[in-house]
Amino acid sequence: MINQGFIQAIADDPDNDVHRLVYADWLEDNGEPERAEHIRLECEMFSLMDEGDVPYIWECPRFYQLSDRAMALARKHSKKWFSPLLDDLMCGMKTRRGFPYSISMTSFDFVQHAVQLFEQEPTIESVEITNEIDRSMSKLAACPALALIRDLEFTDTLIRLSQLRALAKSPYLGSLRRLVFSSGDLRNGPDKAQALVDARSLTNLEQLSLRFQMLRDKGAIALLSAPRFATLKSLDLSVNELTDESMIALADADHLQLTSLDVRHNRIGAKGLNALAHASHLRRLEKLAINGMAIGEDGAAQLAEASFLSNLRELSIADCGLTDEALSILCRSEMPTLHRLIAGQNAIGEKVSDAWSSNGSWTQLRSLDLEEARFEVDADLNSVSIPSLRELRLFRCHFDSNSRSVLLHGELLRSVRTFILQASDVTDEDVEVLSQNPAISNVVYLSLEGNEITDRGAMALANSPHLDQLQFLKMLGNDVRKKGKRAMKDRFGSRVSM
């Protein structure tokens, strides 16, 4: 049973759950208790997410209980609850808060069927275009259904300049809040940027991703200086051959009030970081990614003085060629709201260890990602403790024998729930040290894939007195034979994968 009045009220006010929950009550009163339950389940699930991100199981087990029940209901009833067009077009539909939210389809199918589909499912907000568009962009741009969506993404779609210009001329872009281009033909980058600047109906955009479009400074500066993008909150300009000039232009663009900035893998140095650090209008930044920039100690020092550090929730500085000294400058900075630090492919030694031990401001740090980090011989991790830490990711890390043993024996793991130590030459001796460390007693997810562990290490895990909380153990890519597998199966059952 469908009440179009309720459905339209939900579509007209999509951010308000009141309409959804009132409709759920109506459905229950009219003989549809499972449909009502599905709506309530997904509304509660969404309330438990952090800006759309799914929580970890250790962080919010209730989310996964709700999800399991919601998926079971959807599998049983989705053909009855939702438009048959979704199945006919193989849209890969996903629901959110009880109703169809996102679909994936070709540009041809969108042009042919979107108007009819959105009449039947007006709650759809997000569309992913998944094919090479060729000459159909002008038809896509002329489709009135574009005016009904808030999120448009072109995935693995080679967008050429002529196509982007056609899209930019569409009169139906005013409802878009998020626009993503994930690949391009690597030509005419600056002209593509200018086409977006000239898009008259693109007036309410909040998130723009132009990754790998080769905009270069000319294109980036055109975008950053355009008043029409004053509504932007999130901007991704990664892999665009940008230099310090673009960052200076961003620092001058005080009409922008960004909360998320991604400029990974560009050619930005200390001068550009200095401009960012002193841009007062960027003080609201919550996420910053500058991976792959050779910023050195000067850049680290500039970043350490940034006004936005006190507001950052996520900082990504992997592969910045930072020495132990340079990284320690940042690790001594006060970042009281930092939730996640991604700092792999840099050096970690005595000075970083000391900075972690002494920085009392990191009271909110929950995730530390050190993929391919180089742990130096003097890295003293034995006494490092970050009480708020819940996730530690170590993938393809370079340890000397002492630093790895000290880490596995130390206190850094005390509060960790997810511990990933993959492809890092972990031996049986290392696993024995880890298995006897009382600090691992809170670990729920442990991945030791791709190491050098044999039956001896497997037996140590199986006999550990500190792994009672473990729910997931990943052991693929090790040399564990029958005896070790049997021991781990006896201890962990279906929780272990080998």
Side-chain angles (χ1 to χ4, degrees):
M1 182 178 295
I2 296 175
N3 185 308
Q4 286 301 138
F6 278 118
I7 299 295
Q8 195 57 52
I10 292 166
D12 292 341
D13 192 10
D15 295 328
N16 189 346
D17 276 351
V18 170
H19 302 301
R20 300 169 191 262
L21 296 174
V22 169
Y23 184 39
D25 292 342
W26 183 87
L27 285 164
E28 186 162 24
D29 292 341
N30 286 271
E32 293 279 356
E34 290 189 315
R35 180 71 182 104
E37 182 187 3
H38 185 259
I39 294 170
R40 292 177 184 133
L41 287 167
E42 290 208 335
C43 284
E44 185 177 350
M45 286 170 59
F46 190 74
S47 73
L48 297 173
M49 297 167 73
D50 183 9
E51 297 182 356
D53 293 332
V54 174
Y56 293 105
I57 190 169
W58 47 261
E59 197 171 36
C60 187
R62 177 158 176 77
F63 178 90
Y64 292 86
Q65 296 166 358
L66 298 169
S67 178
D68 288 345
R69 174 60 178 161
M71 287 192 292
L73 289 170
R75 283 193 296 268
K76 182 179 179 182
H77 296 294
S78 61
K79 290 184 183 297
K80 178 177 71 172
W81 289 345
F82 308 126
S83 168
L85 257 182
L86 292 167
D87 273 344
D88 294 344
L89 298 173
M90 295 184 289
C91 289
M93 182 270 293
K94 297 178 182 177
T95 59
R96 179 180 285 185
R97 295 149 69 213
F99 296 85
Y101 171 78
S102 68
I103 55 174
S104 301
M105 60 199 315
T106 67
S107 57
F108 176 83
D109 283 343
F110 186 91
V111 170
Q112 294 295 315
H113 303 289
V115 172
Q116 179 187 2
L117 180 58
F118 290 177
E119 285 176 355
Q120 297 174 9
E121 301 291 356
T123 60
I124 294 173
E125 298 180 35
S126 176
V127 175
E128 179 184 25
I129 302 297
T130 57
N131 68 308
E132 291 296 329
I133 291 180
D134 296 327
R135 299 179 181 178
S136 61
M137 181 64 91
S138 58
K139 294 179 180 180
L140 181 68
C143 182
L146 276 181
L148 302 175
I149 62 177
R150 303 207 297 180
D151 185 334
L152 179 60
E153 181 169 352
F154 294 90
T155 302
D156 298 325
T157 303
L158 200 64
I159 302 294
R160 297 179 175 85
L161 176 59
S162 59
Q163 295 166 337
L164 189 54
R165 282 174 171 165
L167 178 66
K169 291 177 182 177
S170 172
Y172 302 119
L173 305 179
S175 296
L176 283 184
R177 299 296 184 270
R178 179 174 178 266
L179 179 59
V180 175
F181 299 95
S182 61
S183 61
D185 66 355
L186 308 186
R187 294 175 294 176
N188 305 306
D191 292 329
K192 288 181 182 179
Q194 188 60 50
L196 289 174
V197 170
D198 295 337
R200 294 183 179 180
S201 69
L202 197 62
T203 55
N204 294 295
L205 204 60
E206 296 178 359
Q207 300 180 54
L208 177 60
S209 177
L210 293 167
R211 184 179 184 273
F212 206 49
Q213 299 296 319
M214 296 300 109
L215 300 181
R216 300 183 175 84
D217 288 329
K218 182 180 178 181
I221 291 169
L223 282 168
L224 295 169
S225 59
R228 77 164 59 256
F229 294 120
T231 54
L232 281 181
K233 297 178 181 178
S234 175
L235 181 60
D236 183 350
L237 295 176
S238 56
V239 202
N240 274 291
E241 295 192 353
L242 307 185
T243 72
D244 292 341
E245 283 188 54
S246 293
M247 296 303 97
I248 293 169
L250 175 56
D252 291 337
D254 55 10
H255 59 283
L256 293 175
Q257 304 293 319
L258 299 176
T259 58
S260 177
L261 176 63
D262 188 340
V263 288
R264 288 176 290 178
H265 302 294
N266 285 296
R267 294 184 286 119
I268 299 164
K271 185 177 179 181
L273 284 177
N274 182 50
L276 287 182
H278 293 90
S280 60
H281 62 91
L282 295 178
R283 64 185 181 278
R284 295 182 179 86
L285 268 185
E286 296 179 4
K287 295 183 179 180
L288 175 64
I290 59 170
N291 304 29
M293 299 181 192
I295 63 174
E297 288 188 24
D298 288 344
Q302 297 292 350
L303 192 56
E305 296 178 1
S307 60
F308 51 72
L309 279 192
S310 62
N311 201 52
L312 276 186
R313 290 169 54 86
E314 182 173 314
L315 176 61
S316 186
I317 52 173
D319 192 23
C320 284
L322 296 176
T323 63
D324 182 44
E325 173 66 32
L327 184 55
S328 72
I329 294 172
L330 278 172
C331 292
R332 291 191 187 97
S333 302
E334 290 195 9
M335 291 183 265
T337 60
L338 191 67
H339 276 59
R340 188 177 190 209
L341 176 63
I342 303 169
Q345 294 177 273
N346 294 302
I348 296 173
E350 181 180 14
K351 292 180 179 179
V352 170
S353 303
D354 289 345
W356 284 345
S357 297
S358 61
N359 193 334
S361 73
W362 286 11
T363 58
Q364 300 296 316
L365 186 64
R366 300 175 70 79
S367 177
L368 182 57
D369 187 334
L370 301 175
E371 179 178 335
E372 295 191 50
R374 301 182 306 279
F375 288 83
E376 298 179 349
V377 67
D378 59 353
D380 184 10
L381 300 172
N382 189 52
S383 59
V384 174
S385 176
I386 305 175
S388 59
L389 194 64
R390 297 294 181 269
E391 178 186 50
L392 179 59
R393 290 178 171 267
L394 304 173
F395 178 68
R396 289 195 308 216
C397 289
H398 307 281
F399 294 93
D400 80 307
S401 57
N402 179 65
S403 60
R404 182 168 51 230
S405 177
V406 168
L407 168 68
L408 297 176
H409 187 267
E411 289 294 302
L412 187 58
L413 301 174
R414 175 68 63 182
S415 57
V416 168
R417 304 290 188 272
T418 295
F419 182 33
I420 296 173
L421 182 58
Q422 295 179 353
S424 296
D425 299 325
V426 176
T427 65
D428 291 330
E429 290 81 0
D430 297 323
V431 175
E432 287 172 340
V433 171
L434 178 67
S435 298
Q436 294 304 311
N437 186 355
I440 65 171
S441 60
N442 291 311
V443 172
V444 174
Y445 183 104
L446 175 61
S447 178
L448 296 170
E449 294 180 324
N451 286 299
E452 300 174 4
I453 303 168
T454 70
D455 284 357
R456 176 181 161 190
M459 296 294 291
L461 290 168
N463 294 320
S464 172
H466 307 301
L467 291 174
D468 290 343
Q469 300 297 318
L470 197 64
Q471 297 297 316
F472 304 93
L473 174 59
K474 307 295 184 181
M475 293 290 292
L476 293 170
N478 288 289
D479 190 24
V480 179
R481 303 298 176 89
K482 188 174 181 179
K483 180 180 178 182
K485 289 179 179 179
R486 185 186 304 115
M488 287 197 292
K489 282 291 184 182
D490 288 345
R491 169 70 188 275
F492 303 112
S494 61
R495 294 173 290 167
V496 62
S497 58
M498 293 177 282

